[in-house]
Amino acid sequence: MNATPPGIDRATDRDPPAGALALTLAGERVWLLPERALWWPAARTVFVADVHLGKAAAYRALGQPVPSGTTRDNLARLSGLLDGTGAARLVVLGDLLHAAAAHQAQVLDPVHSWRERHAALDCVLIRGNHDSRAGDPPSSLRIVIEDEPWRIGPFAACHHPRRVAEAHVLAGHLHPAVTLRGRAHERHRLPCFCESEGLMILPAFGAFTGTTLAGLPAGARCHAVGGGAVWAAP
């Protein structure tokens, strides 16, 4: 299915805010945001990947002492992102829910409250591997569910990094990261946007998701996220 981006508006294609990195993909100006999201201002569309709502609850159900409150934190950060951009559409590039345990009230009740706050927002979820296991979100959340690749303008929204003919792919799944090395041989891992020909892999948006250095495309350019900014990693 192809989607027509809501109200292309070149007037919104202004300089990015502090900390964001502006790029041109498939002829469109986009911003890589330190909130670990991609903003397409001309179409008023925000893309995020790998939110994994309910992951901590799933671990606690197994008796593992992990932090609580991650769902509310994720939703608060998502609201801040939407309010800051004035987005008309949110596209989740897979793994909105972590597991079937995410369908319990302690997870879904705050999600419903979040949805009511953003009642006018168009929400699209590209099914990821965790979504397939968790099951689709309830219809009361008014989230349109699509299988990959889902085309929107010159982009193909996917969960798994892949190639799609005549489209620039935006994907997630890998939770990409880059390792920085200091003069004293110390190492620090940061989430990153991973860019290669025809493909942009977004960092995981959700808290308590982890990162990986494995499986990233050879020769990819990494745009690290840290210190409230997105910047080209060495």
Side-chain angles (χ1 to χ4, degrees):
M1 174 182 175
N2 292 329
T4 301
I8 292 289
D9 181 7
R10 298 300 171 192
T12 65
D13 193 6
R14 58 187 184 276
D15 291 337
L21 179 65
L23 297 176
T24 299
L25 302 179
E28 292 291 327
R29 196 70 161 169
V30 301
W31 301 348
L32 308 184
L33 302 180
E35 291 85 357
R36 302 197 296 275
L38 186 147
W39 168 232
W40 182 14
R44 296 180 62 201
T45 298
V46 163
F47 297 86
V48 299
D50 301 288
V51 184
H52 287 276
L53 297 176
K55 182 175 181 178
Y59 276 72
R60 287 195 300 274
L62 298 174
Q64 300 184 30
V66 299
S68 61
T70 56
T71 292
R72 295 184 185 277
D73 174 69
N74 286 332
L75 294 173
R77 291 190 300 110
L78 197 52
S79 287
L81 171 63
L82 297 171
D83 293 343
T85 58
R89 172 182 277 164
L90 171 68
V91 179
V92 180
L93 301 172
D95 292 359
L96 175 65
L97 302 180
H98 180 73
H103 286 268
Q104 59 188 298
Q106 71 182 76
V107 175
L108 287 184
D109 285 353
V111 180
H112 277 99
S113 296
W114 171 86
R115 190 67 179 102
E116 290 173 6
R117 175 179 172 182
H118 302 281
L121 182 74
D122 291 336
C123 289
V124 179
L125 168 63
I126 311 304
R127 278 194 188 93
N129 54 303
H130 280 269
D131 300 303
S132 296
R133 293 197 294 269
D136 290 344
S139 58
S140 52
L141 288 175
R142 295 179 292 108
I143 298 174
V144 177
I145 314 296
E146 299 285 355
D147 291 320
E148 62 179 356
W150 181 68
R151 291 179 181 263
I152 174 171
F155 301 112
C158 299
H159 177 61
H160 300 89
R162 55 186 292 182
R163 303 294 178 182
V164 175
E166 300 180 358
H168 198 107
V169 172
L170 306 177
H173 184 58
L174 294 182
H175 304 198
V178 61
T179 297
L180 305 181
R181 293 173 173 83
R183 293 182 177 178
H185 305 290
E186 71 273 25
R187 296 184 179 185
H188 187 62
R189 181 181 290 190
L190 293 176
C192 72
F193 295 84
C194 184
E195 181 186 6
S196 60
E197 186 66 29
L199 173 65
M200 177 68 77
I201 306 172
L202 275 65
F205 180 85
F208 193 57
T209 54
T211 59
T212 184
L213 306 174
L216 304 184
R221 295 176 294 278
C222 293
H223 308 290
V225 181
V230 180
W231 41 277

PDB file of all heavy atoms in Angstrom, residues 29-45:
ATOM      1  N   ARG A  29      14.440  16.665   2.437  1.00  0.00           N
ATOM      2  CA  ARG A  29      15.195  17.111   3.606  1.00  0.00           C
ATOM      3  C   ARG A  29      14.619  16.442   4.850  1.00  0.00           C
ATOM      4  O   ARG A  29      13.405  16.499   5.104  1.00  0.00           O
ATOM      5  CB  ARG A  29      15.083  18.632   3.740  1.00  0.00           C
ATOM      6  CG  ARG A  29      16.121  19.238   4.681  1.00  0.00           C
ATOM      7  CD  ARG A  29      17.499  19.155   4.081  1.00  0.00           C
ATOM      8  NE  ARG A  29      18.427  20.089   4.729  1.00  0.00           N
ATOM      9  CZ  ARG A  29      19.730  20.056   4.539  1.00  0.00           C
ATOM     10  NH1 ARG A  29      20.253  19.142   3.739  1.00  0.00           N
ATOM     11  NH2 ARG A  29      20.507  20.937   5.133  1.00  0.00           N
ATOM     12  N   VAL A  30      15.452  15.784   5.628  1.00  0.00           N
ATOM     13  CA  VAL A  30      15.026  15.163   6.876  1.00  0.00           C
ATOM     14  C   VAL A  30      15.984  15.577   7.981  1.00  0.00           C
ATOM     15  O   VAL A  30      17.107  16.013   7.722  1.00  0.00           O
ATOM     16  CB  VAL A  30      14.981  13.621   6.765  1.00  0.00           C
ATOM     17  CG1 VAL A  30      14.020  13.177   5.665  1.00  0.00           C
ATOM     18  CG2 VAL A  30      16.370  13.034   6.520  1.00  0.00           C
ATOM     19  N   TRP A  31      15.522  15.427   9.201  1.00  0.00           N
ATOM     20  CA  TRP A  31      16.341  15.746  10.364  1.00  0.00           C
ATOM     21  C   TRP A  31      16.524  14.478  11.190  1.00  0.00           C
ATOM     22  O   TRP A  31      15.557  13.770  11.482  1.00  0.00           O
ATOM     23  CB  TRP A  31      15.675  16.792  11.255  1.00  0.00           C
ATOM     24  CG  TRP A  31      15.386  18.105  10.595  1.00  0.00           C
ATOM     25  CD1 TRP A  31      15.822  18.564   9.387  1.00  0.00           C
ATOM     26  CD2 TRP A  31      14.581  19.156  11.140  1.00  0.00           C
ATOM     27  NE1 TRP A  31      15.345  19.823   9.148  1.00  0.00           N
ATOM     28  CE2 TRP A  31      14.572  20.216  10.196  1.00  0.00           C
ATOM     29  CE3 TRP A  31      13.857  19.306  12.318  1.00  0.00           C
ATOM     30  CZ2 TRP A  31      13.882  21.403  10.411  1.00  0.00           C
ATOM     31  CZ3 TRP A  31      13.166  20.483  12.532  1.00  0.00           C
ATOM     32  CH2 TRP A  31      13.181  21.527  11.596  1.00  0.00           C
ATOM     33  N   LEU A  32      17.749  14.187  11.567  1.00  0.00           N
ATOM     34  CA  LEU A  32      18.020  13.157  12.550  1.00  0.00           C
ATOM     35  C   LEU A  32      18.028  13.839  13.915  1.00  0.00           C
ATOM     36  O   LEU A  32      18.831  14.743  14.164  1.00  0.00           O
ATOM     37  CB  LEU A  32      19.367  12.484  12.280  1.00  0.00           C
ATOM     38  CG  LEU A  32      19.596  11.941  10.862  1.00  0.00           C
ATOM     39  CD1 LEU A  32      20.937  11.209  10.784  1.00  0.00           C
ATOM     40  CD2 LEU A  32      18.450  11.039  10.405  1.00  0.00           C
ATOM     41  N   LEU A  33      17.135  13.436  14.778  1.00  0.00           N
ATOM     42  CA  LEU A  33      16.923  14.136  16.041  1.00  0.00           C
ATOM     43  C   LEU A  33      17.607  13.413  17.198  1.00  0.00           C
ATOM     44  O   LEU A  33      17.663  12.180  17.238  1.00  0.00           O
ATOM     45  CB  LEU A  33      15.428  14.248  16.346  1.00  0.00           C
ATOM     46  CG  LEU A  33      14.575  14.967  15.295  1.00  0.00           C
ATOM     47  CD1 LEU A  33      13.109  14.987  15.749  1.00  0.00           C
ATOM     48  CD2 LEU A  33      15.073  16.379  15.041  1.00  0.00           C
ATOM     49  N   PRO A  34      18.113  14.168  18.182  1.00  0.00           N
ATOM     50  CA  PRO A  34      18.733  13.540  19.353  1.00  0.00           C
ATOM     51  C   PRO A  34      17.750  12.730  20.186  1.00  0.00           C
ATOM     52  O   PRO A  34      18.166  11.950  21.042  1.00  0.00           O
ATOM     53  CB  PRO A  34      19.307  14.729  20.143  1.00  0.00           C
ATOM     54  CG  PRO A  34      18.578  15.926  19.642  1.00  0.00           C
ATOM     55  CD  PRO A  34      18.223  15.636  18.221  1.00  0.00           C
ATOM     56  N   GLU A  35      16.458  12.894  19.930  1.00  0.00           N
ATOM     57  CA  GLU A  35      15.450  12.049  20.589  1.00  0.00           C
ATOM     58  C   GLU A  35      15.405  10.645  19.992  1.00  0.00           C
ATOM     59  O   GLU A  35      14.542   9.846  20.335  1.00  0.00           O
ATOM     60  CB  GLU A  35      14.063  12.707  20.473  1.00  0.00           C
ATOM     61  CG  GLU A  35      13.909  13.977  21.277  1.00  0.00           C
ATOM     62  CD  GLU A  35      14.413  15.225  20.552  1.00  0.00           C
ATOM     63  OE1 GLU A  35      14.948  15.091  19.424  1.00  0.00           O
ATOM     64  OE2 GLU A  35      14.270  16.334  21.094  1.00  0.00           O
ATOM     65  N   ARG A  36      16.352  10.346  19.093  1.00  0.00           N
ATOM     66  CA  ARG A  36      16.445   9.054  18.401  1.00  0.00           C
ATOM     67  C   ARG A  36      15.238   8.840  17.500  1.00  0.00           C
ATOM     68  O   ARG A  36      14.607   7.784  17.486  1.00  0.00           O
ATOM     69  CB  ARG A  36      16.623   7.903  19.400  1.00  0.00           C
ATOM     70  CG  ARG A  36      17.843   8.061  20.285  1.00  0.00           C
ATOM     71  CD  ARG A  36      18.246   6.770  20.963  1.00  0.00           C
ATOM     72  NE  ARG A  36      17.266   6.251  21.898  1.00  0.00           N
ATOM     73  CZ  ARG A  36      17.159   6.615  23.167  1.00  0.00           C
ATOM     74  NH1 ARG A  36      17.995   7.534  23.662  1.00  0.00           N
ATOM     75  NH2 ARG A  36      16.266   6.083  23.960  1.00  0.00           N
ATOM     76  N   ALA A  37      14.968   9.855  16.704  1.00  0.00           N
ATOM     77  CA  ALA A  37      13.850   9.837  15.761  1.00  0.00           C
ATOM     78  C   ALA A  37      14.275  10.542  14.484  1.00  0.00           C
ATOM     79  O   ALA A  37      15.222  11.333  14.475  1.00  0.00           O
ATOM     80  CB  ALA A  37      12.626  10.527  16.365  1.00  0.00           C
ATOM     81  N   LEU A  38      13.572  10.245  13.408  1.00  0.00           N
ATOM     82  CA  LEU A  38      13.783  10.935  12.131  1.00  0.00           C
ATOM     83  C   LEU A  38      12.536  11.762  11.834  1.00  0.00           C
ATOM     84  O   LEU A  38      11.412  11.242  11.866  1.00  0.00           O
ATOM     85  CB  LEU A  38      14.045   9.916  11.018  1.00  0.00           C
ATOM     86  CG  LEU A  38      14.424  10.484   9.635  1.00  0.00           C
ATOM     87  CD1 LEU A  38      15.390   9.548   8.903  1.00  0.00           C
ATOM     88  CD2 LEU A  38      13.183  10.708   8.758  1.00  0.00           C
ATOM     89  N   TRP A  39      12.755  13.029  11.518  1.00  0.00           N
ATOM     90  CA  TRP A  39      11.659  13.986  11.268  1.00  0.00           C
ATOM     91  C   TRP A  39      11.709  14.413   9.812  1.00  0.00           C
ATOM     92  O   TRP A  39      12.751  14.878   9.327  1.00  0.00           O
ATOM     93  CB  TRP A  39      11.822  15.177  12.199  1.00  0.00           C
ATOM     94  CG  TRP A  39      11.007  16.414  11.973  1.00  0.00           C
ATOM     95  CD1 TRP A  39      11.490  17.690  11.884  1.00  0.00           C
ATOM     96  CD2 TRP A  39       9.582  16.533  11.862  1.00  0.00           C
ATOM     97  NE1 TRP A  39      10.465  18.584  11.717  1.00  0.00           N
ATOM     98  CE2 TRP A  39       9.277  17.900  11.694  1.00  0.00           C
ATOM     99  CE3 TRP A  39       8.539  15.602  11.868  1.00  0.00           C
ATOM    100  CZ2 TRP A  39       7.974  18.374  11.550  1.00  0.00           C
ATOM    101  CZ3 TRP A  39       7.223  16.058  11.719  1.00  0.00           C
ATOM    102  CH2 TRP A  39       6.959  17.429  11.563  1.00  0.00           C
ATOM    103  N   TRP A  40      10.593  14.206   9.126  1.00  0.00           N
ATOM    104  CA  TRP A  40      10.418  14.634   7.733  1.00  0.00           C
ATOM    105  C   TRP A  40       9.501  15.849   7.759  1.00  0.00           C
ATOM    106  O   TRP A  40       8.283  15.721   7.745  1.00  0.00           O
ATOM    107  CB  TRP A  40       9.815  13.489   6.926  1.00  0.00           C
ATOM    108  CG  TRP A  40       9.608  13.752   5.468  1.00  0.00           C
ATOM    109  CD1 TRP A  40      10.115  14.756   4.707  1.00  0.00           C
ATOM    110  CD2 TRP A  40       8.802  12.955   4.583  1.00  0.00           C
ATOM    111  NE1 TRP A  40       9.689  14.661   3.413  1.00  0.00           N
ATOM    112  CE2 TRP A  40       8.882  13.556   3.314  1.00  0.00           C
ATOM    113  CE3 TRP A  40       8.029  11.815   4.748  1.00  0.00           C
ATOM    114  CZ2 TRP A  40       8.195  13.041   2.199  1.00  0.00           C
ATOM    115  CZ3 TRP A  40       7.356  11.301   3.659  1.00  0.00           C
ATOM    116  CH2 TRP A  40       7.446  11.917   2.393  1.00  0.00           C
ATOM    117  N   PRO A  41      10.063  17.040   7.828  1.00  0.00           N
ATOM    118  CA  PRO A  41       9.233  18.221   8.088  1.00  0.00           C
ATOM    119  C   PRO A  41       8.244  18.536   6.990  1.00  0.00           C
ATOM    120  O   PRO A  41       7.132  18.991   7.265  1.00  0.00           O
ATOM    121  CB  PRO A  41      10.261  19.351   8.268  1.00  0.00           C
ATOM    122  CG  PRO A  41      11.494  18.869   7.589  1.00  0.00           C
ATOM    123  CD  PRO A  41      11.497  17.386   7.746  1.00  0.00           C
ATOM    124  N   ALA A  42       8.603  18.315   5.726  1.00  0.00           N
ATOM    125  CA  ALA A  42       7.697  18.675   4.635  1.00  0.00           C
ATOM    126  C   ALA A  42       6.399  17.887   4.693  1.00  0.00           C
ATOM    127  O   ALA A  42       5.352  18.358   4.237  1.00  0.00           O
ATOM    128  CB  ALA A  42       8.384  18.458   3.285  1.00  0.00           C
ATOM    129  N   ALA A  43       6.442  16.670   5.243  1.00  0.00           N
ATOM    130  CA  ALA A  43       5.242  15.842   5.361  1.00  0.00           C
ATOM    131  C   ALA A  43       4.742  15.758   6.799  1.00  0.00           C
ATOM    132  O   ALA A  43       3.809  15.016   7.083  1.00  0.00           O
ATOM    133  CB  ALA A  43       5.519  14.429   4.842  1.00  0.00           C
ATOM    134  N   ARG A  44       5.375  16.517   7.701  1.00  0.00           N
ATOM    135  CA  ARG A  44       4.996  16.548   9.118  1.00  0.00           C
ATOM    136  C   ARG A  44       4.903  15.131   9.693  1.00  0.00           C
ATOM    137  O   ARG A  44       3.964  14.785  10.404  1.00  0.00           O
ATOM    138  CB  ARG A  44       3.679  17.294   9.313  1.00  0.00           C
ATOM    139  CG  ARG A  44       3.740  18.778   8.925  1.00  0.00           C
ATOM    140  CD  ARG A  44       2.407  19.457   9.138  1.00  0.00           C
ATOM    141  NE  ARG A  44       2.018  19.408  10.554  1.00  0.00           N
ATOM    142  CZ  ARG A  44       0.761  19.545  10.978  1.00  0.00           C
ATOM    143  NH1 ARG A  44      -0.220  19.714  10.113  1.00  0.00           N
ATOM    144  NH2 ARG A  44       0.489  19.500  12.270  1.00  0.00           N
ATOM    145  N   THR A  45       5.914  14.322   9.387  1.00  0.00           N
ATOM    146  CA  THR A  45       5.919  12.917   9.784  1.00  0.00           C
ATOM    147  C   THR A  45       7.162  12.597  10.600  1.00  0.00           C
ATOM    148  O   THR A  45       8.275  12.930  10.197  1.00  0.00           O
ATOM    149  CB  THR A  45       5.856  12.004   8.542  1.00  0.00           C
ATOM    150  OG1 THR A  45       4.631  12.256   7.832  1.00  0.00           O
ATOM    151  CG2 THR A  45       5.914  10.540   8.928  1.00  0.00           C
TER     152      THR A  45
END
